[in-house]
Amino acid sequence: MPETRAGGDPLLQKLMVPLAIWVVFTAVGAVFLSIGASRQVALERTSPAYHVTSPTPASPGYFGVVPNWDGNWYESIADGGYPATLPVDGQGVVQQNEWAFYPAYPMVVRGVMAATGMRFAPSAWIVSLLFGAMAMVALFNLVRFRMGTWGAGALVACVMAYVTAPVLQVAYTEGLALLLVVLFIGAVRRRLLGQAVGIAVLLSLTRPIALPLGVVLGAVLFHDWLTQRRTTSGPRFPVRDVAATAAVLATAALWPLIAWAVTGRRDAFFETQAAWPVNSNGLGGWVGDMLRFTPVGILAIVVVVYLALVCLRPGSRRWGQELRLWSVVYPLYLFLASRPSPSMLRYLMLAIAPLWPFPGLGFTYLRGVRWAPPLVLGVLIAIGLVAQYFWVTSFFIVSGDLSHRPFP
């Protein structure tokens, strides 16, 4: 698809196209959540499913499931903040507590609650919807110049049809994190290093993904330096570039340092993380499973091979250097720095670009078979929506045996 200049495009293409796609898929996700809500069991503070901040009856309705799972922790943070002293059991082992969850999202929700007087669930819903909508608009305009309107719309549609995309309308951080990642990539693309560092600070208070951000920035700037070296004689040492990259990487320590300052325990954040069974046995579990060829490891290998095939082929250049690099570095970071859990599906949504693996497929390709691109897109969307329904009703909704629950 031929490239079009952003300045000549009407507001319809820049704003209304991604918002229309967002509205349609958000409505479908809301239907799935409402159907699932009719099957949810009653949750009490003593329920063995997970931490329950606000008990809900059986079949609590749409807003009754908005704070499910991590949403209950965010509600606790929005209502009461973080504990000054870590909770421990009789042996002095740190128990699960709010310090495992980053503050940006619940603090925004807290502001909406204070401004409107609404309860947590509708406030979190509004915040998540706004961040999700802004993320889709930002993503559409990030790739539209290279991929064209149709290709950019296809990417937005595939992100919204992704298996875990309904979290963009519940009390989770995905919408805010996705928006900030897209803005960071846009800042790096324009080489606005101060802006990139500022966005990285916000992200370090939203999700623990500062390290892949720094790798992407450092790799892009290093490539610039090498290019300059080949075209000019004696380039100066890129002090500003190195400082910006170091600053982004350093933001990874921001939240653990804050936890230390408030609680007085140097290991407050890390001991809190270890209180969750999935984090208690160290890092690198995916790599071990891949080396042992366990079922989970084979699935991880398939994902890695898929990412390599999609992101390294020439057609993926239409994503742009920065987004293409992020789509490789971020998933590899996840596999290296986390252990196998159902949450990996949700984490991979932030990889963004590989969710529409055909960036060069548009109406100007495959002459005589113009139905092929929309057919391919339609098949991917259909598969995604079926997977969404299963994920919502089998993972996000709490039903059945509460003591053995897969978590989203």
Side-chain angles (χ1 to χ4, degrees):
M1 183 173 292
E3 295 182 356
T4 56
R5 293 194 176 278
D9 286 345
L11 179 65
L12 178 67
Q13 292 186 4
K14 293 182 178 180
L15 186 62
M16 299 308 296
V17 170
L19 284 180
I21 296 170
W22 170 82
V23 166
V24 170
F25 285 97
T26 298
V28 173
V31 171
F32 293 163
L33 287 165
S34 298
I35 293 172
S38 68
R39 306 173 186 176
Q40 180 154 300
V41 299
L43 296 175
E44 302 294 339
R45 293 185 187 276
T46 56
S47 294
Y50 64 97
H51 170 82
V52 176
T53 299
S54 295
T56 57
S59 302
Y62 176 83
F63 282 106
V65 300
V66 166
N68 271 13
W69 299 100
D70 289 2
N72 271 258
W73 286 106
Y74 290 125
E75 181 175 3
S76 179
I77 295 166
D79 287 338
Y82 293 87
T85 303
L86 297 183
V88 297
D89 63 11
Q91 287 72 45
V93 178
V94 175
Q95 302 299 290
Q96 296 179 3
N97 66 84
E98 288 79 1
W99 283 107
F101 299 89
Y102 288 68
Y105 176 81
M107 291 300 102
V108 174
V109 176
R110 182 173 182 169
V112 172
M113 293 170 65
T116 64
M118 293 190 299
R119 295 180 297 107
F120 174 81
S123 299
W125 176 71
I126 290 172
V127 169
S128 294
L129 286 180
L130 288 176
F131 283 141
M134 289 189 290
M136 293 306 105
V137 172
L139 176 60
F140 180 84
N141 287 285
L142 177 72
V143 300
R144 181 175 51 88
F145 182 84
R146 289 177 173 271
M147 294 173 59
T149 299
W150 191 88
L155 177 56
V156 170
C158 285
V159 171
M160 290 301 302
Y162 181 66
V163 55
T164 65
V167 298
L168 296 175
Q169 57 185 296
V170 300
Y172 268 65
T173 63
E174 263 66 23
L176 174 58
L178 185 59
L179 172 63
L180 291 174
V181 166
V182 173
L183 293 178
F184 178 86
I185 293 171
V188 174
R189 177 170 294 178
R190 299 189 301 275
R191 303 301 188 265
L192 300 175
L193 302 188
Q195 187 178 115
V197 171
I199 295 170
V201 170
L202 293 177
L203 265 167
S204 72
L205 299 175
T206 304
R207 294 285 284 272
I209 55 176
L211 294 181
L213 294 176
V215 171
V216 169
L217 178 60
V220 169
L221 297 179
F222 183 67
H223 179 267
D224 289 349
W225 182 71
L226 288 180
T227 302
Q228 181 188 11
R229 243 185 117 176
R230 287 194 296 265
T231 57
T232 61
S233 58
R236 62 180 180 80
F237 184 76
V239 176
R240 181 169 173 265
D241 295 353
V242 172
T245 302
V248 170
L249 292 172
T251 62
L254 181 58
W255 186 236
L257 287 174
I258 293 174
W260 178 10
V262 174
T263 65
R265 285 193 57 159
R266 180 182 306 176
D267 60 354
F269 173 77
F270 302 103
E271 287 299 308
T272 297
Q273 287 285 326
W276 271 260
V278 71
N279 298 326
S280 60
N281 296 319
L283 301 177
W286 284 106
V287 176
D289 282 322
M290 292 166 73
L291 293 175
R292 292 191 299 271
F293 292 99
T294 65
V296 170
I298 293 172
L299 180 60
I301 291 171
V302 170
V303 172
V304 171
V305 171
Y306 167 79
L307 291 170
L309 292 175
V310 170
C311 297
L312 300 180
R313 61 194 177 90
S316 64
R317 292 172 183 167
R318 285 181 172 269
W319 292 328
Q321 175 191 19
E322 298 79 12
L323 181 57
R324 186 186 190 189
L325 188 57
W326 168 258
S327 298
V328 174
V329 170
Y330 172 68
L332 291 179
Y333 165 78
L334 291 179
F335 284 118
L336 290 172
S338 67
R339 296 187 60 80
S341 77
S343 296
M344 179 61 83
L345 278 176
R346 182 164 50 85
Y347 301 156
L348 285 172
M349 185 169 68
L350 295 185
I352 303 174
L355 303 185
W356 169 240
F358 309 108
L361 188 61
F363 286 116
T364 59
Y365 292 85
L366 302 176
R367 291 184 180 179
V369 284
R370 291 194 174 188
W371 48 265
L375 176 62
V376 172
L377 178 61
V379 169
L380 291 179
I381 289 174
I383 294 172
L385 292 181
V386 171
Q388 271 190 23
Y389 179 82
F390 175 77
W391 182 84
V392 167
T393 56
S394 300
F395 287 81
F396 189 76
I397 297 300
V398 184
S399 59
D401 185 355
L402 298 187
S403 63
H404 297 86
R405 286 292 310 160
F407 53 92

